């Protein structure tokens, strides 16, 4: 038997349905924010990540999948989306368009990490990038996107942490201060941190091994090294977050795991069982120098990405309901050849008319077909019978109440519309409960989706 590679997963069953639903909500939300979908290659020239992304070797060399293709080119599976989008922005001269360019993506990323819950080698990110604006309003808007998304999907208990690394001058001063502070303590830090001290000492603050080390707690704080301009900018970001009614807390130790950030950085955490220390659902920040570093014109940029797998895991462990179907409305049953032919055309007819329909394909007898209908959680059964068909009638059975009726073919669509609409939505399907009138749609105003249970 061949197994899937380590750190990958197969997306199947009900989780796959939830995933597709989340993707649909993302697409609709992005339409409302007016961000355009962008798709860049899953693999890029290694140079993009290795040259482009900065001072430290983390993510960039240790954790990427690198290989040579048959033409002896160095190729890397993308470990994240930002660098590829910046490459595309430059290559397609998007900087020539009236800015800013606002894009979003949703695709697989690859990091050669030690697999554990919430940390995979192949994982999916939804992310946005805004290229061509330095306005602090953009920082707040980008931070608001995952917050609004999580609220729409009913995820409670998220925490937004923000910080500022300041401009180049502030960041350089801070870097110096960290080197000065950590050098006499270096033996008390982990092996990787020895490396980080020379390359990117900010990453020491992000170290998972030393996270509870008191040396880190006493380290200089970013906020004390911001020059006046950077401080004022950070204040403006906070003002816009207040305007957008986004709750946040300032975490002066937040530096983020990638090297290209300056000014605003942020992360969104959630407290759920199972994710452990991988409870950061998403994060991002400003990266004003990256386009230039990759040989494009100086461009101010801001973005974020979230791991869809972690997000779905959080939704599942909080038992958040989603309006997805794990059943069929109708199951069509038959025995004889003529009934079967009729079943084929009726199945097609009902599907084309908007019903969720399944039927028998394996030659099972009626008893086994009833079982199959139960497995598929069919709401109604249409049990075909040659005698009934001669009279242009079909037998319909409510699979819950077990009531049966003979219904004329001419009247069938009307009958199904009436009965299935009646049963269609169970109020239990919404997270806010009894008074909800949302019908499980996400663009409504029920309590668990950020509104006040107003009628839609
Ligand atoms: P990142 O923090 O490296 O940022 O990743 C963003 C999110 O992707 C994480 O918070 C996490 O939910 C998810 N993630 C990362 N690695 C894994 C993994 N191995 N398994 C499962 N999920 C994972 C970035 O990637 C930046 N490009 C974000 C950004 C966009 N900054 C500016 N623009």
């Amino acid at each position: 038997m061949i197994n899937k590679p380590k750190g990958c997963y197969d997306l199947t069953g009900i989780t796959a349905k939830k995933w597709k639903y989340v993707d649909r909500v993302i697409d609709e939300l992005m339409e409302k924010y007016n961000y355009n979908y962008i798709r860049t290659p899953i693999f890029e020239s290694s140079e993009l990540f290795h040259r482009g992304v900065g001072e430290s070797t983390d993510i960039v060399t240790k954790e990427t999948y690198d290989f040579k293709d048959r033409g002896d080119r160095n190729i890397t599976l993308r470990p994240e989306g930002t660098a590829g989008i910046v490459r595309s922005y430059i290559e397609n001269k998007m900087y020539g368009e009236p800015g800013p360019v606002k894009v979003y993506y949703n695709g697989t990323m690859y990091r050669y990490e030690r697999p554990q819950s919430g940390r995979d080698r192949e994982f999916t990110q939804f992310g946005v990038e805004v290229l061509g604006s330095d306005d602090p309003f953009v920082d707040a808007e980008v931070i608001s996107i995952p917050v609004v998304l999580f609220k729409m999907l009913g995820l409670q208990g998220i925490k937004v942490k923000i910080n500022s690394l300041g401009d180049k001058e502030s960041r350089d001063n801070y870097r110096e201060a960290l080197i000065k502070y950590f050098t006499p303590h270096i033996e008390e830090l982990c092996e990787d941190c020895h490396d980080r001290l020379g390359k990117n000492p900010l990453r020491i603050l992000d170290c998972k091994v030393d996270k509870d080390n008191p040396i880190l707690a006493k380290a200089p704080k970013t906020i004390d090294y911001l020059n006046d301009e950077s401080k004022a900018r950070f204040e403006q970001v906070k003002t816009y977050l207040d305007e957008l009614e986004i709750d946040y807390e300032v975490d002066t130790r937040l530096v983020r795991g990638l090297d290209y950030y300056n000014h605003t950085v942020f992360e969104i955490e959630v407290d759920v069982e199972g994710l452990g220390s991988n409870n950061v659902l998403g994060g991002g920040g400003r990266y004003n120098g990256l386009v230039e570093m990759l040989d494009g014109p100086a461009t101010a940029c801001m973005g974020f990405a979230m791991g869809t797998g972690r997000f779905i895991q959080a939704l599942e462990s909080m038992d958040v309901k989603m309006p997805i179907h794990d059943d069929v409305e109708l199951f069509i049953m038959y025995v004889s050849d003529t009934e079967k032919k009729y079943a084929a055309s009726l199945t097609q007819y009902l599907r084309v008319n908007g019903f969720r329909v399944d039927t028998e394909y394996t030659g099972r007898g009626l008893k086994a077909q009833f079982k199959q209908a139960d497995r598929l959680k069919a709401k109604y059964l249409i049990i075909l019978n040659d005698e009934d068909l001669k009279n242009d009638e079909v037998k319909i059975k409510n699979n819950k109440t077990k009531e049966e009726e003979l219904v004329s073919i001419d009247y069938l669509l009307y009958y199904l519309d009436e009965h299935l609409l009646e049963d269609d939505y169970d109020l239990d399907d919404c997270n806010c409960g009894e008074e909800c009138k949302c019908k499980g749609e996400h663009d409504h105003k029920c309590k668990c989706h950020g509104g006040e249970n107003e009628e839609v």
Side-chain angles (χ1 to χ4, degrees):
M1 191 177 68
I2 300 167
N3 295 315
K4 60 186 178 312
K6 209 172 161 184
C8 300
Y9 50 85
D10 299 314
L11 189 58
T12 60
I14 194 76
T15 306
K17 286 191 183 203
K18 289 181 183 171
W19 204 293
K20 295 299 281 180
Y21 172 69
V22 169
D23 284 349
R24 284 202 300 278
V25 178
I26 287 172
D27 288 338
E28 284 173 25
L29 182 68
M30 288 294 85
E31 211 164 48
K32 298 201 167 112
Y33 272 84
N34 196 32
Y35 282 59
N36 292 319
Y37 180 67
I38 185 169
R39 195 169 70 192
T40 58
I42 280 172
F43 59 89
E44 297 268 5
S45 296
S46 301
E47 205 191 349
L48 175 64
F49 305 107
H50 294 187
R51 180 189 62 160
V53 194
E55 301 148 327
S56 131
T57 53
D58 250 26
I59 294 218
V60 181
T61 50
K62 265 195 272 173
E63 298 175 3
T64 52
Y65 276 86
D66 302 313
F67 56 93
K68 277 197 188 288
D69 71 5
R70 291 184 191 200
D72 209 29
R73 299 172 198 92
N74 291 313
I75 297 292
T76 296
L77 297 184
R78 61 182 185 192
E80 53 100 51
T82 312
I85 284 168
V86 168
R87 194 251 331 119
S88 170
Y89 176 81
I90 300 167
E91 192 169 343
N92 295 301
K93 298 192 175 53
M94 290 185 216
Y95 47 79
E97 297 169 17
V101 169
K102 302 197 300 177
V103 291
Y104 79 100
Y105 50 96
N106 191 352
T108 48
M109 309 291 159
Y110 302 83
R111 295 183 189 178
Y112 196 82
E113 309 207 76
R114 201 162 52 81
Q116 48 180 283
S117 174
R119 194 169 283 274
D120 303 297
R121 290 186 172 169
E122 182 188 67
F123 61 99
T124 302
Q125 276 187 350
F126 153 58
V128 310
E129 312 294 347
V130 180
L131 306 102
S133 171
D134 196 25
D135 196 324
F137 177 18
V138 168
D139 301 37
E141 177 175 297
V142 167
I143 296 171
S144 81
I145 289 173
V147 175
V148 171
L149 176 73
F150 296 158
K151 222 180 221 174
M152 277 168 80
L153 288 160
L155 186 71
Q156 316 274 349
I158 58 163
K159 201 187 278 171
V160 179
K161 291 184 170 176
I162 63 168
N163 192 20
S164 173
L165 305 176
D167 58 10
K168 190 170 179 322
E169 184 192 61
S170 309
R171 199 182 146 133
D172 285 351
N173 287 340
Y174 183 56
R175 189 174 188 274
E176 285 312 310
L178 285 179
I179 294 175
K180 211 164 146 194
Y181 171 78
F182 280 124
T183 303
H185 297 292
I186 195 66
E187 291 314 318
E188 296 156 68
L189 299 174
C190 78
E191 281 289 303
D192 285 345
C193 283
H194 293 188
D195 235 25
R196 288 175 185 135
L197 185 65
K199 287 172 181 154
N200 184 0
L202 272 72
R203 291 292 312 276
I204 297 177
L205 299 173
D206 203 35
C207 176
K208 300 280 178 281
V209 180
D210 281 323
K211 72 177 173 6
D212 298 320
N213 189 331
I215 308 283
L216 262 65
K218 290 189 203 133
K221 294 190 167 85
T222 44
I223 222 89
D224 297 328
Y225 291 82
L226 297 184
N227 56 22
D228 289 345
E229 233 179 308
S230 301
K231 244 184 228 163
R233 196 183 183 289
F234 192 39
E235 287 308 310
Q236 285 186 42
V237 173
K238 292 196 260 176
T239 305
Y240 283 111
L241 283 171
D242 294 337
E243 289 299 326
L244 301 185
E245 295 184 6
I246 302 297
D247 294 334
Y248 59 86
E249 63 184 57
V250 175
D251 177 352
T252 54
R253 269 178 56 184
L254 180 68
V255 291
R256 305 275 300 127
L258 295 159
D259 294 329
Y260 44 60
Y261 294 110
N262 39 52
H263 289 294
T264 312
V265 284
F266 77 101
E267 276 184 355
I268 301 193
E269 278 182 16
V270 67
D271 237 346
V272 291
E273 243 172 79
L275 279 174
S277 63
N278 293 318
N279 63 341
V280 178
L281 296 187
R286 196 156 265 291
Y287 51 99
N288 288 352
L290 190 60
V291 177
E292 235 175 330
M293 207 189 285
L294 291 169
D295 306 326
T299 309
C301 303
M302 170 82 197
F304 107 95
M306 67 163 219
T308 322
R310 283 190 198 177
F311 176 50
I312 302 263
Q313 208 177 330
L315 289 171
E316 286 190 330
S317 60
M318 286 189 184
D319 201 22
V320 173
K321 306 257 177 31
M322 292 186 215
I324 48 170
H325 300 291
D326 66 342
D327 59 3
V328 293
E329 289 171 309
L330 300 162
F331 187 77
I332 300 180
M333 302 164 63
Y334 58 85
V335 178
S336 74
D337 281 351
T338 45
E339 289 162 10
K340 182 175 180 180
K341 283 202 183 105
Y342 197 88
S345 75
L346 184 62
T347 304
Q348 186 76 348
Y349 173 69
L350 292 172
R351 284 172 177 165
V352 170
N353 276 284
F355 294 96
R356 290 180 286 110
V357 190
D358 212 338
T359 188
E360 170 58 31
Y361 304 100
T362 58
R364 276 179 278 230
L366 268 190
K367 202 171 157 198
Q369 289 185 43
F370 276 113
K371 273 201 186 135
Q372 175 67 356
D374 286 344
R375 269 195 292 270
L376 297 176
K377 300 188 192 149
K379 289 184 173 164
Y380 283 83
L381 315 177
I382 300 185
I383 307 157
L384 299 180
N385 175 299
D386 284 326
E387 288 306 308
D388 299 337
L389 292 179
K390 274 185 205 146
N391 302 325
D392 287 329
E393 288 180 328
V394 291
K395 189 188 287 166
I396 302 190
K397 181 170 182 171
N398 181 322
N399 205 23
K400 202 170 171 184
T401 63
K402 307 295 175 200
E403 281 163 35
E404 284 183 5
E405 261 183 280
L406 267 180
V407 178
S408 146
I409 299 289
D410 293 340
Y411 180 64
L412 183 63
L413 286 185
Y414 179 74
Y415 178 95
L416 293 175
D417 263 342
E418 203 173 52
H419 285 74
L420 282 164
L421 270 184
E422 224 167 65
D423 297 356
D424 195 33
Y425 192 72
D426 186 349
L427 284 181
D428 291 348
D429 288 356
C430 187
N431 304 298
C432 76
E434 340 89 78
E435 299 298 329
C436 177
K437 298 196 174 75
C438 77
K439 300 225 177 287
E441 299 298 330
H442 59 265
D443 51 350
H444 53 66
K445 308 229 173 61
C446 75
K447 226 175 218 165
C448 69
H449 293 92
E452 283 303 322
N453 278 347
E454 293 163 31
E455 191 147 5
V456 273

